[in-house]
Amino acid sequence: MREITPQDLEYLAIGAAILGTGGGGDPLIGKIMAQQAIEEEGPVTLLQVDELADNALVLPTAMMGAPTVMIEKIPEGMEAVRALRTEERRLRRRADATSPIECGGVNSQIPFVTAARAHLPVVDGDGMGRAFPELQMETFHVYGISGTPAVVADERGAFVTVETPDNYQLEWIARGVTIRMGGHAMLVDYPMSGADFKRTAVRGTISMGIALGQAVVGARKAGVHPIEAVCAATRHTIYGQGIPLFEGKVVDVERRTRAGFAVGQAVMSGLGECRGSQFTVRFQNENLVALRDGEIVASVPDLICLLDSEKATAVTTERLRYGQRITAVGIPTPEMMRTREALDVWGPRAFGYDVDFVPLELRFPSYYRKHGVPEEKMKYLTNNKSTLRG
């Protein structure tokens, strides 16, 4: 248990933007909202997952919709609280805590807005360990939690309660409601007990986001290049060390808003040791697949992060521009994101790519033998072919 300060939110905004893998919404807007809420309402407590009571009620909160829309249509600030209160009335019980559904971008901050305004703690875990574009793409769904009843709320006071027989229909209906609300809205979904949160959440992701931000801010003072600091910051976590994939300049961006998502691709021409090569990242809100000279070098659910080559701050999908100097970094995803049932939901084929998922540790074994991997990932360095996943 610890108290979260406005400075922690500064670090979290930097780190969560990296974990957002291009998506999750602009963290700047969420950070300002959360800091204002804490200044007006008082500090927020961050609970470790094991500090939750088994019978506690956890109501995760988030923004839903296209990040490109949120830049121009700024939230009013109380939408998520209204959604939470509506959910409490539906369940006839007050919430004991909130949490992110994804730790990336603005959705790392929205729970702190909700928590400050509703005087609740935030739990240090989420349902993705990164960001994904759809509501069923959560460990909560993969490991058996119903996403409903859910509540979608907008800045004008409208809210819609959604109850569906499965989480794919939740995504379909809530997405349609969000489009009607102007392209983004606030959401409460996956109501669950403390025991279920302990069983299904990716743990420690808020703390890791804060640590990533501290690594970026403190790198120069420590005499380390910020890109190296980002790669090292995840080494002793359930993720493992990040790996630089490419350094280049953005030479083309195709981006459009379709069915409530920002979809497209960015192309980079190599610089430095990558000169003469081309790198392409395809995205649907989040970065999904990275190709170097036409060959896939990383794919979901591993994290593909596009960072400013000098500052190591994240460049989100909606802010990609011609001429930016970018370093692409891959971060291995936690093992609970790589099970067969998980890959059925967010592996490459779930996004229309007819390829198997190959973990970064298998694609770059020399790098990971040099830098090491978490104990549960040693299998990738000792038995390569048996660990390829579909």
Side-chain angles (χ1 to χ4, degrees):
M1 180 184 301
R2 58 173 291 199
E3 189 174 281
I4 294 298
T5 67
Q7 183 59 52
D8 289 325
L9 296 178
E10 294 280 354
Y11 294 135
L12 179 59
I14 296 170
I18 295 171
L19 296 175
T21 67
D26 188 331
L28 173 64
I29 296 171
K31 179 192 71 176
I32 294 171
M33 292 169 61
Q35 289 177 329
Q36 181 179 355
I38 287 176
E39 287 174 4
E40 293 177 357
E41 303 286 351
V44 171
T45 297
L46 182 69
L47 290 180
Q48 297 305 304
V49 172
D50 284 333
E51 293 177 310
L52 271 176
D54 284 350
N55 63 352
L57 174 61
V58 183
L59 297 182
T61 49
M63 185 278 288
M64 181 176 188
T68 46
V69 175
M70 193 171 175
I71 292 177
E72 298 182 357
K73 181 174 173 284
I74 306 298
E76 171 259 355
M78 291 297 290
E79 301 95 318
V81 178
R82 287 194 291 272
L84 181 130
R85 295 304 185 208
T86 304
E87 181 84 329
E88 289 177 333
R89 288 194 295 274
R90 169 65 183 78
L91 297 173
R92 298 182 179 180
R93 183 179 170 186
R94 300 301 293 263
D96 297 297
T98 186
S99 80
I101 64 170
E102 61 180 350
C103 60
V106 69
N107 277 332
S108 67
Q109 304 276 348
I110 296 302
F112 289 96
V113 179
T114 310
R117 299 296 186 192
H119 304 288
L120 292 172
V122 174
V123 191
D124 192 2
D126 74 301
M128 298 184 187
R130 45 164 296 154
F132 273 129
E134 300 182 13
L135 296 181
Q136 79 280 3
M137 295 177 174
E138 301 187 36
T139 52
F140 306 146
H141 161 76
V142 169
Y143 298 112
I145 305 298
S146 172
T148 67
V151 179
V152 187
D154 74 6
E155 75 281 5
R156 289 169 292 185
F159 58 86
V160 175
T161 300
V162 181
E163 295 198 50
T164 58
D166 62 64
N167 296 329
Y168 290 91
Q169 284 200 1
L170 166 63
E171 161 63 27
W172 175 254
I173 293 173
R175 186 72 53 184
V177 171
T178 298
I179 292 170
R180 287 294 187 188
M181 288 181 167
H184 79 72
M186 296 296 168
L187 171 78
V188 171
D189 65 356
Y190 290 96
M192 73 184 85
S193 68
D196 280 339
F197 196 90
K198 293 174 183 176
R199 180 175 61 83
T200 63
V202 184
R203 298 180 177 215
T205 49
I206 293 293
S207 293
M208 193 174 80
I210 293 172
L212 269 169
Q214 290 171 327
V216 171
V217 172
R220 296 292 186 189
K221 188 176 181 180
V224 179
H225 193 287
I227 297 291
E228 294 178 24
V230 167
C231 291
T234 58
R235 180 175 183 179
H236 299 294
T237 70
I238 57 176
Y239 290 70
Q241 174 129 347
I243 178 172
L245 298 173
F246 196 79
E247 180 184 2
K249 182 181 81 170
V250 177
V251 295
D252 189 38
V253 179
E254 297 175 23
R255 180 177 50 227
R256 58 195 178 280
T257 300
R258 186 179 68 194
F261 298 109
V263 298
Q265 67 174 22
V267 180
M268 286 169 274
S269 179
L271 297 172
E273 295 180 357
C274 299
R275 192 174 298 278
S277 289
Q278 191 173 74
F279 195 77
T280 302
V281 174
R282 294 173 182 157
F283 54 80
Q284 177 184 327
N285 284 10
E286 287 74 36
N287 302 320
L288 303 178
V289 174
L291 304 94
R292 179 167 180 167
D293 298 327
E295 298 291 328
I296 293 178
V297 294
S299 74
V300 283
D302 283 340
L303 286 71
I304 302 166
C305 311
L306 300 185
L307 309 181
D308 180 286
S309 289
E310 292 302 316
K311 302 176 183 175
T313 50
V315 180
T316 56
T317 298
E318 67 271 23
R319 297 194 183 277
L320 279 167
R321 299 288 185 274
Y322 175 86
Q324 290 170 321
R325 266 61 172 177
I326 298 287
T327 296
V329 168
I331 299 175
T333 201
E335 283 303 282
M336 72 181 301
M337 304 283 291
R338 291 173 167 179
T339 64
R340 186 162 297 280
E341 57 265 47
L343 292 175
D344 286 344
V345 177
W346 51 57
R349 287 190 171 84
F351 295 95
Y353 297 95
D354 189 21
V355 295
D356 286 333
F357 166 66
V358 180
L360 285 168
E361 297 91 336
L362 281 180
R363 293 187 185 276
F364 303 98
S366 297
Y367 180 88
Y368 283 103
R369 288 194 180 97
K370 176 181 177 182
H371 292 282
V373 296
E375 184 177 351
E376 62 272 24
K377 296 187 176 187
M378 284 298 296
K379 58 189 176 184
Y380 298 121
L381 303 184
T382 57
N383 188 14
N384 291 358
K385 292 185 179 179
S386 65
T387 52
L388 287 171
R389 309 289 179 87

